[in-house]
Amino acid sequence: MTVINNIQYTKKLDSKFGQSAMDILLTEIESRREEFGHLSHVPRDVIDKMIDAGIFRATTPKMFGGDALPPMDFLKIIEDIAQRDGSAAWVAAFGSANIYVAALPVKTQAVIYATGPDQVYGGGLYPVQPAIRLENGWQVSGHWKFASGCKGADWLGVGIGGTPANGSGQSAGKPLTAVFPASEVEIVENWNVVGMQGTGSHDLRIEGKAVHDDWTFIRGSSATIDEPLYHYPSVCYQAQVHAAVNLGLARAALDLVASMSGSDKTLTGSPRLGDRAYYRIALGKAEAMFRSVRSFFYEAPNDAWADIQAGKPILDQQANLLRLSASHAAQVCSEVIKAAFHLAGTAAIFESNRMQWILRDSMVVTQHAFLSEATYDGAGAIFSGISPLTPYP
């Protein structure tokens, strides 16, 4: 049994070592995180260990053998993985993507889960590509970016222009998504970045593939599965799983800079960091910032989940808090990490020092469209009782 952020999480034990699958996964990530960066992706054997730990059945419907975990439980697992490595946590976060897939017809989902609940879904939705209408589907061609985790995926979704077969049109700017077996999609390996190097967010390319209407859905649309998890707003959930990565990175940065406080001496022979008032004050403020924003981050999904359990719908005002708490966590945790980086001094500039890896990863998280400062504008609009200028929440 593994305890993660006070959650008891039990998976099968390794017969040789007596460790849980989650223990094995966390140890593997911590020991191999530099390898992920060099490869520009998390290799399949580590994805398999994520599967053993239950990551990719976390949001699979119970009717198909999945766990359908409460969102807070999965978010805390991602946060814990991120303390070991940001890229691995980002890839693991796509264990939440099956809440998107839950918008497909039930018969289509039955095909996806025919071989078991541990299906790895990924995709690159943008830029949305035009598609040619066929009698019962679409002919798809195009090139898409930011397909995180694509090299370990079983299924890949791409964004296409068009109107769903039910005639509902595109909903609030959310793209129509076409789902293909990963083997039918070409991966263009071009993920050369300064942070989150191990996420493998390469481009995708498809040339003239036909997809049936039953394998398309509007991202963020209502699920066809009537289980509690699928009444939770899917776009909000995606923002939260990405924000949870920065929570884990911030915790790691604070622990790392705190561990440097008792050094015998600095490079210049100056007093230890722990003997300096500015260090102690800044560390205290950063810890308070982190704990405050983390409380808001988990308060919002806890409240939403309680309402779902009580049979209440999630209205825009509550979805707004889910989005706001996610973006605020990502943004504030990035500031916490910057503060830790500055406190670490010259030691943090070396490539061998993990602090600069944490810093670069955290800045990539805040660049995600779901977590940008534009969220504050949308949130303020809803608080003011006016319509947001862009699709939100």
Side-chain angles (χ1 to χ4, degrees):
M1 178 177 293
T2 301
V3 178
I4 298 177
N5 288 301
N6 299 319
I7 295 175
Q8 293 182 341
Y9 193 74
T10 304
K11 285 294 175 185
K12 65 182 181 182
L13 297 181
D14 181 272
S15 58
K16 182 177 179 181
F17 299 106
Q19 292 179 295
S20 75
M22 184 61 74
D23 288 326
I24 293 170
L25 173 63
L26 295 175
T27 300
E28 190 85 1
I29 289 170
E30 190 161 9
S31 65
R32 295 176 62 184
R33 57 192 174 212
E34 290 188 20
E35 175 191 345
F36 306 158
H38 295 314
L39 291 174
S40 291
H41 69 274
V42 176
R44 182 66 207 200
D45 69 295
V46 179
I47 300 295
D48 289 340
K49 288 181 173 62
M50 290 181 180
I51 288 173
D52 289 343
I55 298 297
F56 293 103
R57 65 172 58 197
T59 56
T60 297
K62 291 184 178 180
M63 67 178 293
F64 295 119
D67 292 339
L69 291 178
M72 306 77 66
D73 291 2
F74 187 71
L75 293 171
K76 289 174 181 176
I77 291 168
I78 298 304
E79 181 187 356
D80 199 64
I81 293 173
Q83 291 184 45
R84 278 76 178 179
D85 180 61
S87 291
W90 193 268
V91 172
F94 283 83
S96 67
N98 289 343
I99 61 168
Y100 278 158
V101 176
L104 287 166
V106 174
K107 64 180 181 180
T108 303
Q109 295 182 59
V111 174
I112 289 174
Y113 298 117
T115 58
D118 301 297
Q119 300 297 315
V120 185
Y121 176 81
L125 299 188
Y126 295 101
V128 172
Q129 300 293 317
I132 299 172
R133 183 64 185 160
L134 304 176
E135 182 178 357
N136 294 306
W138 303 89
Q139 183 175 335
V140 178
S141 296
H143 194 117
W144 297 265
K145 303 189 75 63
F146 299 113
S148 298
C150 59
K151 296 200 71 171
D154 302 308
W155 306 89
L156 289 168
V158 295
I160 61 174
T163 302
N166 63 13
S168 63
Q170 289 183 303
S171 175
K174 299 169 184 174
L176 184 64
T177 303
V179 179
F180 294 88
S183 59
E184 295 185 11
V185 182
E186 178 187 357
I187 296 174
V188 182
E189 296 192 29
N190 59 355
W191 187 241
N192 301 307
V193 290
V194 297
M196 288 292 183
Q197 295 169 328
T199 62
S201 304
H202 302 292
D203 290 4
L204 303 179
R205 185 157 55 208
I206 294 175
E207 295 292 341
K209 294 281 187 180
V211 61
H212 195 279
D213 285 323
D214 288 344
W215 287 84
T216 67
F217 66 94
I218 293 176
R219 188 193 67 174
S221 59
S222 299
T224 58
I225 304 295
D226 188 16
E227 295 179 14
L229 179 60
Y230 310 100
H231 295 282
Y232 195 91
S234 58
V235 171
C236 295
Y237 196 10
Q238 291 306 297
Q240 290 172 315
V241 295
H242 295 319
V245 175
N246 257 11
L247 283 173
L249 290 172
R251 180 71 271 159
L254 288 170
D255 291 346
L256 182 56
V257 76
S259 72
M260 300 169 66
S261 64
S263 299
D264 291 337
K265 61 181 180 180
T266 65
L267 289 174
T268 61
S270 300
R272 296 177 304 174
L273 288 176
D275 293 332
R276 306 180 197 187
Y278 77 82
Y279 167 87
R280 299 191 300 269
I281 292 169
L283 184 59
K285 287 183 176 180
E287 187 72 40
M289 289 170 63
F290 170 75
R291 290 176 181 266
S292 297
V293 77
R294 187 177 185 273
S295 293
F296 178 32
F297 179 76
Y298 284 111
E299 173 189 289
N302 267 303
D303 290 348
W305 186 246
D307 282 351
I308 288 171
Q309 295 286 78
K312 299 177 183 178
I314 302 300
L315 303 177
D316 281 351
Q317 291 84 352
Q318 194 161 30
N320 180 32
L321 292 178
L322 296 174
R323 287 294 307 276
L324 178 60
S325 63
S327 291
H328 194 54
Q331 297 288 335
V332 171
C333 283
S334 181
E335 293 304 313
V336 167
I337 292 165
K338 290 176 187 175
F341 178 84
H342 289 304
L343 286 176
T346 307
I349 71 172
F350 291 93
E351 190 171 355
S352 59
N353 190 302
R354 193 186 171 213
M355 186 67 81
Q356 53 84 27
W357 284 73
I358 293 172
L359 177 68
R360 289 185 289 156
D361 285 353
S362 71
M363 290 191 292
V364 174
V365 173
T366 59
Q367 297 295 92
H368 194 283
F370 284 176
L371 301 173
S372 72
E373 290 199 347
T375 303
Y376 293 113
D377 181 38
I382 289 181
F383 289 139
S384 301
I386 62 178
S387 298
L389 297 178
T390 57
Y392 180 88

